[in-house]
Amino acid sequence: MITYKLKPKNSAEVSIYLLDEDQTLKFQHENCTQVNEVISSKQFTGTLYDIFPIVNKGTLILLVGLGKREELTLTIVRIAAKKALESKYLKGKKDIALYPHSQKEECILAIIEGIKIGTYRWKKYLTESSANSIDAMSIQMITPQKKSFEIAEDICAGVNATRDLVNDNADFVTSTHFEKEIRAIAKGQKNISLEILNEKELNAKGLNLHLAVNQGSNKQPKLIIAKYTGNPKDKKLLAIVGKGITFDSGGLNLKPTSHIETMREDMAGAGAVLGVLKNLIKLKIKKNVVCVLGIAENAIGSGSYKPGDVIKSYSGKTVEICNTDAEGRLVLADAISYVIKNYKPEKLVDIATLTGACVVALGYDYTALISTSEQMAKDILSSADKTDDRAWRLPIYPELKSAIKSKIADIKNIGLPKGAAGTLTAAEFLRQFTGETLWAHLDIAGTSFVESSERMYFNYGATGSSVRLLTHFIQNYA
Ligand code: BES
Ligand code: ZN
Ligand code: ZN
């Protein structure tokens, strides 16, 4: 638990001081001469991520370096807070007082995220865990009490809820599980209405692309729609639509070894939508948002949809299936046209682990943003910047239409030879279902999951990509 105090209430077991190099030079500890000696003898100079422990009358003081002041970023602050709290010196400690390097609100928020998001670990299936758990710690943040800090914690809880879903087994986080979770979130909330389309309804209404993707699976396909009305007087409505492939085997175009292992992450878009919905409720955000989760499993079997199939979408456009592994755009296309037709949102953002090409283009730290609306692109980039939930814009332009032309159907589900500009051609496919609605697309294929041991302030596994970004975007621009 984090509490906010002007002065530490009881003498904490551990006091953590975040200090950049300039601050270190001037730092004087009132009741610990050892700290002052360590600094004057240059044993601790505030070097980036240096952690220096000092025992002081039975309590522990940790000096944590933030490096050169002119190079200090809020990302560094998050990483430093994470490293401090995960350090071996805190093992078994419960009462922590944390002294921020700055009382600026953005710095306190970054420290909270470093703690809440940075120390998150997926431990459900570990029978023994050696890592420290911040759940068992009481952290006193030495700062004037402010409401906005509690809000930051709530937002982190939304991020971590998404991570729990993405990290868990694909056969656990099924469409049924998603439905159960969404129903639990909506329970007792008068301003949320649910519409859930199962196989029967999807069939009756003609969401055939969605159905095709799920055809080889023994699980139900579901289109889950939760409409949150935070401001009944406001006519404006935003739709957020998440790709929820609970496992992407590739289908008959089966994925090879080293591409398939983490494909339970292919519902990270839908997972993010669920995290955002939690935040809307927790923060009582006064905006209207229709949250859409397109859930299916891209499995393999004799019933699977097949390369060469032509399928009529909900919108009426026919689609040639050239590769069953390009399934996300199919589920999204039907979800997008369904929500536009039946809910008439002013703006729509879709979010998806859509293309491997996105990882090639931007790597793991930046989500790809593609939008036909200058204003939405500008707003989303600003939210990305403010939340450190990073995004970078890629282009979309009329000439891309030819990349998805088919000889036997209106369009096809793959783009140019050799996968050239795969992220752009996938976005162009989606654009064809957005009509006049203001639209932005987030490709989180690179950012949703950490496969190396850690990245920035994320431990191995799901990151909750775009939950902070979208929450901020809705609060400020929707
Ligand atoms: N789910 C994948 C994209 C992906 C790749 C997500 C890596 C996360 C990490 C998507 O369904 C896919 O397989 N896309 C294909 C499209 C191709 C067949 C046109 C791809 O990117 O290779
Ligand atoms: Zn795929
Ligand atoms: Zn996929």
Side-chain angles (χ1 to χ4, degrees):
M1 202 187 50
I2 308 181
T3 52
Y4 304 91
K5 304 259 154 60
L6 262 171
K7 286 204 172 84
K9 210 165 135 206
N10 48 342
S11 58
E13 285 178 277
V14 187
S15 302
I16 299 175
Y17 293 88
L18 300 179
L19 299 166
D20 67 34
E21 290 181 3
D22 288 5
Q23 284 175 317
T24 305
L25 283 174
K26 293 178 216 129
F27 189 74
Q28 287 280 328
H29 198 288
E30 286 172 6
N31 15 336
C32 183
T33 50
Q34 255 178 292
V35 169
N36 304 334
E37 278 162 27
V38 160
I39 289 173
S40 62
S41 64
K42 303 248 178 273
Q43 292 181 74
F44 177 82
T45 57
T47 302
L48 188 60
Y49 306 137
D50 191 15
I51 301 183
F52 199 102
I54 297 161
V55 179
N56 177 42
K57 299 176 199 128
T59 73
L60 181 67
I61 293 173
L62 286 189
L63 305 177
V64 179
L66 296 175
K68 295 195 170 39
R69 174 164 303 174
E70 61 276 17
E71 289 171 13
L72 184 57
T73 64
L74 292 170
T75 306
I76 289 176
V77 173
R78 288 176 176 88
I79 298 172
K82 164 200 165 65
K83 284 185 189 284
L85 281 154
E86 287 185 338
S87 88
K88 61 185 175 193
Y89 307 112
L90 261 63
K91 208 167 167 62
K93 305 284 195 233
K94 296 222 148 37
D95 257 311
I96 322 286
L98 200 155
Y99 295 80
H101 64 296
S102 155
Q103 290 298 346
K104 271 198 204 144
E105 188 163 322
E106 58 179 16
C107 296
I108 308 290
L109 297 179
I111 294 169
I112 294 168
E113 290 192 352
I115 297 170
K116 289 275 167 179
I117 295 176
T119 66
Y120 170 96
R121 268 171 211 277
W122 173 243
K123 290 193 270 199
K124 184 173 170 187
Y125 300 117
L126 290 176
T127 55
E128 261 174 61
S129 173
S130 55
N132 298 343
S133 173
I134 60 143
D135 306 334
M137 293 178 190
S138 140
I139 302 163
Q140 304 171 47
M141 185 89 92
I142 310 308
T143 184
Q145 168 109 20
K146 275 230 182 94
K147 188 88 189 136
S148 64
F149 301 154
E150 280 154 25
I151 291 172
E153 282 188 74
D154 289 338
I155 293 174
C156 294
V159 173
N160 290 343
T162 299
R163 297 165 95 181
D164 283 345
L165 284 175
V166 177
N167 280 322
D168 215 325
N169 290 359
D171 282 344
F172 178 73
V173 186
T174 59
S175 60
T176 318
H177 184 79
F178 263 111
E179 175 173 356
K180 207 178 80 196
E181 290 275 309
I182 292 285
R183 285 196 189 280
I185 291 169
K187 197 168 176 202
Q189 303 289 337
K190 289 196 189 67
N191 57 355
I192 297 184
S193 61
L194 293 183
E195 182 186 11
I196 298 177
L197 277 63
N198 290 308
E199 189 162 26
K200 209 175 112 204
E201 292 85 23
L202 292 170
N203 205 358
K205 293 180 193 288
L207 284 82
N208 300 316
L209 294 178
H210 188 153
L211 286 167
V213 171
N214 198 71
Q215 233 170 257
S217 172
N218 61 355
K219 299 171 188 80
Q220 283 283 319
K222 282 182 199 288
L223 183 64
I224 303 176
I225 304 173
K227 187 177 174 193
Y228 169 88
T229 307
N231 186 357
K233 288 191 209 107
D234 194 347
K235 288 252 145 43
K236 284 206 256 1
L237 178 66
L238 167 77
I240 53 174
V241 183
K243 168 177 173 181
I245 301 298
T246 56
F247 191 79
D248 182 11
S249 71
L252 290 174
N253 292 103
L254 182 64
K255 283 189 185 291
T257 297
S258 92
H259 286 86
I260 199 168
E261 292 78 2
T262 60
M263 277 303 135
R264 67 179 188 286
E265 72 167 288
D266 215 19
M267 36 55 74
V273 170
L274 183 145
V276 172
L277 176 61
K278 279 194 143 191
N279 288 346
L280 296 176
I281 298 167
K282 228 8 198 317
L283 276 61
K284 300 193 172 65
I285 293 179
K286 291 188 173 46
K287 301 285 161 92
N288 304 322
V289 185
V290 55
C291 300
V292 184
L293 297 79
I295 316 286
E297 182 187 37
N298 192 17
I300 193 165
S302 61
S304 296
Y305 77 134
K306 294 164 181 71
D309 285 352
V310 174
I311 296 161
K312 198 181 185 94
S313 68
Y314 177 77
S315 76
K317 272 200 175 103
T318 56
V319 178
E320 179 189 3
I321 307 303
C322 294
N323 190 316
T324 60
D325 198 11
E327 82 299 333
R329 65 196 75 184
L330 302 174
V331 171
L332 285 173
D334 271 352
I336 289 170
S337 27
Y338 186 83
V339 71
I340 287 179
K341 178 151 187 242
N342 298 286
Y343 290 80
K344 303 184 176 55
E346 183 214 13
K347 295 178 193 162
L348 185 147
V349 181
D350 77 77
I351 167 161
T353 46
L354 203 64
T355 62
C358 181
V359 191
V360 177
L362 292 178
Y364 301 106
D365 296 327
Y366 279 81
T367 292
L369 160 69
I370 289 177
S371 182
T372 44
S373 155
E374 291 306 310
Q375 189 61 48
M376 277 181 88
K378 190 169 159 264
D379 294 344
I380 289 174
L381 288 178
S382 151
S383 291
D385 188 46
K386 299 226 167 66
T387 56
D388 202 33
D389 203 352
R390 300 178 186 184
W392 197 263
R393 191 176 181 186
L394 298 179
I396 187 156
Y397 47 92
E399 290 73 22
L400 282 171
K401 271 192 217 112
S402 63
I404 57 169
K405 266 208 180 110
S406 161
K407 289 193 176 64
I408 58 171
D410 297 336
I411 49 174
K412 61 181 180 183
N413 79 330
I414 61 161
L416 298 163
K418 297 191 207 157
T423 304
L424 313 190
T425 54
E428 170 57 20
F429 184 93
L430 297 178
R431 190 197 60 79
Q432 303 236 351
F433 298 86
T434 58
E436 301 291 294
T437 309
L438 295 169
W439 165 72
H441 161 64
L442 296 169
D443 193 332
I444 55 169
T447 50
S448 64
F449 203 89
V450 179
E451 273 190 81
S452 58
S453 64
E454 63 182 75
R455 166 176 20 114
M456 293 204 285
Y457 40 93
F458 297 105
N459 287 318
Y460 178 86
T463 62
S465 174
S466 303
V467 174
R468 286 178 292 160
L469 184 165
L470 285 173
T471 304
H472 187 279
F473 173 73
I474 293 167
Q475 273 178 310
N476 295 280
Y477 304 113

